[in-house]
Amino acid sequence: EAGVVQSPRYKIIEKKQPVAFWCNPISGHNTLYWYLQNLGQGPELLIRYENEEAVDDSQLPKDRFSAERLKGVDSTLKIQPAELGDSAVYLCASSLGLAGRTDTQYFGPGTRLTVL
Amino acid sequence: GQNIDQPTEMTATEGAIVQINCTYQTSGFNGLFWYQQHAGEAPTFLSYNVLDGLEEKGRFSSFLSRSKGYSYLLLKELQMKDSASYLCAVVPGGSYIPTFGRGTSLIVHP
């Protein structure tokens, strides 16, 4: 079974440029998460989707970050414009989405963003 | 909010046993995860505890005490490939989403 797929794996851009990250979750997983991970830190949740609905985006900086999951499968996370402090690893994860239960998240390899 | 505390770094010798502790303070509790993350790679699931006690899975075991807000991950017969970051993640009450600690970087040396 294929795991969570993310692309690109690495991205280097200059500040003020836009950037987009793509995620394909595990087949059959209804819940999709975007996390930000700084060096030496644990992942921090940016946004969570249940199917195509964003149900938790309280930590997403909405002035520059946006996300979508139009058909309830793939998802895109965008930053426009990027700032130096956005340099980090952006992780995507998915889970079955079991109602009323904690279920295990499976992570993709992440996109390492460097903003110059 | 949640407060999750784990040591920043630990070192151990190949073949030895190491215990990585995690303490937490949350409003309610719906479980605790341990993940392993090698440098530059995705976190991978190791264990999930929701009831008190020890869960053993091969060389890795995870323990939980809800009354003490405490968990540990026990790694036996350490191998060089066990060098990685180990993330403790706690699911607070009223939620099904874990909050991650900053991780413990384990270095295994010959």
Side-chain angles (χ1 to χ4, degrees):
Chain A
E1 178 183 303
V4 176
V5 179
Q6 290 188 248
S7 69
R9 290 294 313 276
Y10 304 92
K11 188 73 177 179
I12 301 174
I13 60 171
E14 294 188 345
K15 62 181 181 182
K16 301 184 181 179
Q17 294 300 305
V19 65
F21 315 124
W22 175 81
C23 173
N24 179 245
I26 292 173
S27 177
H29 281 195
N30 295 323
T31 305
L32 184 146
Y33 315 76
W34 282 104
Y35 284 89
L36 176 153
Q37 186 174 27
N38 286 304
L39 189 64
Q41 303 292 320
E44 300 171 32
L45 182 67
L46 290 172
I47 189 167
R48 173 170 64 99
Y49 282 92
E50 298 287 348
N51 298 301
E52 64 273 11
E53 181 182 1
V55 295
D56 184 356
D57 63 355
S58 58
Q59 301 303 311
L60 190 72
K62 298 180 185 63
D63 57 335
R64 298 184 300 106
F65 286 64
S66 63
E68 60 184 14
R69 193 185 185 200
L70 293 175
K71 297 183 179 179
V73 181
D74 295 0
S75 177
T76 303
L77 178 69
K78 298 178 181 178
I79 309 175
Q80 182 170 12
E83 298 179 351
L84 295 176
D86 296 332
S87 294
V89 175
Y90 291 83
L91 294 166
C92 179
S94 69
S95 66
L96 284 170
L98 303 173
R101 288 179 56 185
T102 299
D103 59 346
T104 301
Q105 297 171 321
Y106 296 88
F107 285 83
T111 297
R112 181 176 296 278
L113 174 67
T114 302
V115 182
L116 302 176
Chain B
Q2 289 80 246
N3 186 26
I4 301 169
D5 191 36
Q6 46 181 136
T8 302
E9 187 175 294
M10 299 181 70
T11 59
T13 305
E14 192 176 14
I17 299 173
V18 70
Q19 178 175 311
I20 302 174
N21 296 325
C22 173
T23 58
Y24 62 89
Q25 294 175 315
T26 61
S27 301
F29 180 80
N30 270 335
L32 185 147
F33 289 91
W34 283 97
Y35 279 83
Q36 180 191 59
Q37 187 177 24
H38 285 100
E41 298 184 12
T44 55
F45 170 76
L46 290 178
S47 66
Y48 173 66
N49 295 68
V50 66
L51 299 177
D52 291 350
L54 186 68
E55 298 268 349
E56 297 187 73
K57 193 183 296 184
R59 294 189 300 113
F60 292 8
S61 302
S62 57
F63 172 83
L64 175 67
S65 169
R66 289 171 296 171
S67 63
K68 296 181 179 179
Y70 168 68
S71 174
Y72 67 72
L73 181 69
L74 191 72
L75 291 75
K76 302 177 184 177
E77 302 170 14
L78 279 173
Q79 302 175 9
M80 298 297 289
K81 68 178 183 179
D82 297 330
S83 293
S85 179
Y86 291 85
L87 299 164
C88 171
V90 179
V91 185
S95 170
Y96 302 104
I97 310 304
T99 297
F100 286 82
R102 61 186 301 156
T104 298
S105 177
L106 174 66
I107 301 169
V108 180
H109 55 83

